[in-house]
Amino acid sequence: MNTVLRAVPGKVTIVGSGVIGTSWAAHFLRWGYRVCATDPAAGAEQRLRSDVAAWWPTLRRLGLAEDASLERLSFTTDLAAALHDTDFVQENASERLDEKQRLIAQIDAATPTDVVIASSSSGLLPSQIQARCARPERVLVGHPFHPPYLMPLVEVVGGARTGEAALRRALDLYRSTGKRPIRLRQELPGHVANRLQAALWREAFALVDSGAASVEDIDTAIASGPGLRWALLGPFLTLHLTGGAGGMARILEHLGPSVEAWWQAFETPRLTPELRERVVEQVEALAGRLGGPEVAQRRDKLLVELLALTAAEGGAHA
């Protein structure tokens, strides 16, 4: 691909450099930002730099901004120093509400009022996250999809006290770095994408629990069936096209009663020790047969190729 992207001036602070924070750092570096990461954990800087360097060839294939460089990455364990002169904060601490509230309040106190503070929280509500802040109007959720250095989706969610200006600025920044943000109009545990995944996981675990299908059968059913179509158009447009000339109206008339009956028959499984053991055993065996650590590498390679194809077509929803 090797596209040269538009360079974007400015500094992004990454608070928390675990898997998600490190991936965000790589993403913003790709787009020419200066990135300063901070994390108190032992060995955090070494892991950050090692992972970003390992992903850099993949990002080069996707295309780098003119000024993109690993030299623009800095690290400090001093939160205040990391926040100095920043233009945007992407926070990535663990999903513990008390810890998140404390950290966001510290960031709020240490940054100018015009700096947007986005949390990568995958399920916490922004109204809860901003509860201890003196200036909550610039605090919101900017939840990426894993891995953020490749996946375009970001869910942007405001809390009860988040200002419209902060939401617009976050959406604009994410779009300017190649993301496909969606804005949620309600606060929901798990936001949108994780709730949709959780609905599918519920039935997948129920099928394994009942013995109707194995882990491998279910993964094959999705990856070789609806997953291929969903990657291009999503569930609603896919369903619309299934209806042929009559579109969504026809398919709902034709399949609606059956789908309603299926919904009524769905059961919510319990993650019993037996079910956990069965799923872990089967998925580890499947991953082993597919090459173990190489599975993630092949996934990323195919994701890059798919992203390049959809970009050439103007995007799935262009």
Side-chain angles (χ1 to χ4, degrees):
M1 201 171 168
N2 295 322
T3 305
V4 176
L5 306 174
R6 178 177 61 86
V8 180
K11 173 185 173 181
V12 172
T13 297
I14 303 296
V15 180
S17 60
V19 173
I20 298 300
T22 295
S23 192
W24 268 123
H27 169 74
F28 285 115
L29 285 169
R30 176 197 171 204
W31 284 87
Y33 279 89
R34 289 183 295 117
V35 175
C36 183
T38 181
D39 194 313
E45 180 176 6
Q46 181 180 358
R47 289 190 296 270
L48 168 73
R49 294 189 182 278
S50 176
D51 286 345
V52 171
W55 297 333
W56 203 248
T58 298
L59 294 174
R60 185 177 288 112
R61 288 186 59 204
L62 281 173
L64 299 176
E66 186 176 358
D67 293 335
S69 170
L70 293 175
E71 299 300 318
R72 297 174 76 87
L73 174 62
S74 60
F75 182 90
T76 177
T77 56
D78 186 330
L79 178 63
L83 294 169
H84 176 70
D85 197 30
T86 194
D87 297 297
F88 188 83
V89 178
Q90 188 75 46
E91 173 273 325
N92 313 277
S94 61
E95 289 285 288
R96 294 194 291 271
L97 181 58
D98 284 349
E99 179 180 340
K100 188 84 74 176
Q101 288 175 331
R102 176 187 56 77
L103 181 59
I104 293 292
Q106 289 178 326
I107 297 169
D108 176 51
T111 52
T113 57
D114 62 343
V115 174
V116 173
I117 303 170
S119 173
S120 294
S121 174
S122 60
L124 297 176
L125 303 182
S127 288
Q128 296 174 323
I129 292 172
Q130 66 187 195
R132 299 183 190 176
C133 294
R135 295 164 295 183
E137 64 276 1
R138 45 46 175 292
V139 176
L140 50 86
V141 163
H143 173 239
F145 224 53
H146 182 69
Y149 75 94
L150 288 181
M151 301 295 280
L153 177 65
V154 183
E155 297 174 307
V156 176
V157 195
R161 296 187 286 172
T162 304
E164 182 65 25
L167 289 163
R168 287 199 303 268
R169 288 180 60 199
L171 289 164
D172 288 345
L173 181 140
Y174 289 135
R175 289 192 189 102
S176 74
T177 63
K179 292 295 189 183
R180 296 294 301 271
I182 62 170
R183 178 178 174 181
L184 277 65
R185 264 63 180 187
Q186 290 183 33
E187 296 182 76
L188 298 167
H191 316 313
V192 167
N194 277 339
R195 290 173 72 92
L196 292 169
Q197 285 195 132
L200 180 58
W201 290 334
R202 180 181 69 172
E203 185 59 19
F205 275 85
L207 290 168
V208 173
D209 193 32
S210 70
S214 67
V215 163
E216 184 171 1
D217 291 334
I218 293 165
D219 275 13
T220 299
I222 295 299
S224 299
L228 289 173
R229 300 184 302 189
W230 292 341
L232 303 176
L233 295 176
F236 279 118
L237 273 177
T238 295
L239 193 59
H240 175 67
L241 294 181
T242 304
M248 180 67 83
R250 181 181 181 278
I251 201 67
L252 290 178
E253 180 181 357
H254 178 63
L255 280 182
S258 295
V259 171
E260 283 188 306
W262 300 340
W263 286 341
Q264 295 300 318
F266 287 161
E267 297 183 0
T268 300
R270 306 305 304 173
L271 286 174
T272 62
E274 294 78 15
L275 178 56
R276 290 172 185 263
E277 182 179 355
R278 188 184 311 171
V279 169
V280 168
E281 180 182 344
Q282 290 188 28
V283 80
E284 287 183 348
L286 175 59
R289 289 198 300 276
L290 295 178
E294 295 178 5
V295 175
Q297 297 171 11
R298 289 203 302 273
R299 177 204 63 189
D300 287 0
K301 177 178 180 295
L302 292 172
L303 274 175
V304 169
E305 294 173 358
L306 179 59
L307 289 168
L309 285 171
T310 55
E313 293 293 326
H317 292 275

